[in-house]
Amino acid sequence: MRDRNWTVRGSAHPLRDRWISVRADECAAPSGAVIAPYYVLEFPDFVHVLAIDADDRVVLVRQYRHGLRGMSLELPGGMMDPGETDVLAAAARELREETGFTGGSLTHVTTLSPEPARYDNRLHLVRATGITAGAASPEPTEDIEVLRVPRAEAVRLALTGAIAHAGHVGLMLIGLNAG
């Protein structure tokens, strides 16, 4: 099979800050066609947690999302910190901070690309079982409501659009069907 990768002839960063980096690549396709600029959004990796409590309920969070300009029902999770490479530790941290749940057994389910055409990061799904409730410690910008719903209700929420984040819908369905 022939090589179909593009050749990157040069790159610049017209925007870089702690939340996002925009990279403008000058690319050439194998056909010789030039694609410039081709913008790639550089983000840290994300980790999301499908947490299931002792009563077999799925732990979800509801919080304001400015891009949506409204409330969003989601899996707990967030960006991995700079230098953080342990997906399970990052998942435990995010779960504790956002929901207060700790302990239990954490299992890496899958790693996916949130948008392979434009984003350079990865999204990791971790399943947490046998967790114990505790006090959450969200960041100052987070106002999070924690909900626990039966598995069937979580699937219904995902399939009816009540969970608006397409990535979280996919992750929840993968996680609930992966074991």
Side-chain angles (χ1 to χ4, degrees), residues 119-153:
Y119 298 178
D120 75 336
N121 66 330
R122 299 290 180 264
L123 182 140
H124 308 280
L125 175 62
V126 171
R127 184 183 308 113
T129 57
I131 52 176
T132 304
S137 57
E139 309 228 352
T141 58
E142 296 175 322
D143 183 8
I144 297 173
E145 176 188 3
V146 178
L147 294 89
R148 296 186 290 174
V149 300
R151 282 179 188 243
E153 176 67 2

Side-chain angles (χ1 to χ4, degrees), residues 26-97:
E26 180 181 326
C27 302
S31 67
V34 174
I35 306 101
Y38 190 93
Y39 293 105
V40 176
L41 302 177
E42 299 176 330
F43 292 104
D45 279 7
F46 282 80
V47 61
H48 294 289
V49 184
L50 175 65
I52 301 170
D53 70 10
D55 296 321
D56 204 35
R57 293 177 294 183
V58 175
V59 178
L60 299 173
V61 294
R62 181 179 288 134
Q63 59 188 318
Y64 176 79
R65 293 299 193 190
H66 191 64
L68 183 63
R69 300 246 177 175
M71 300 302 284
S72 179
L73 189 57
E74 305 172 353
L75 294 171
M79 288 189 300
M80 292 180 70
D81 290 338
E84 195 170 30
T85 59
D86 185 334
V87 171
L88 297 180
R93 175 183 50 76
E94 284 291 336
L95 183 63
R96 182 186 67 254
E97 287 175 4

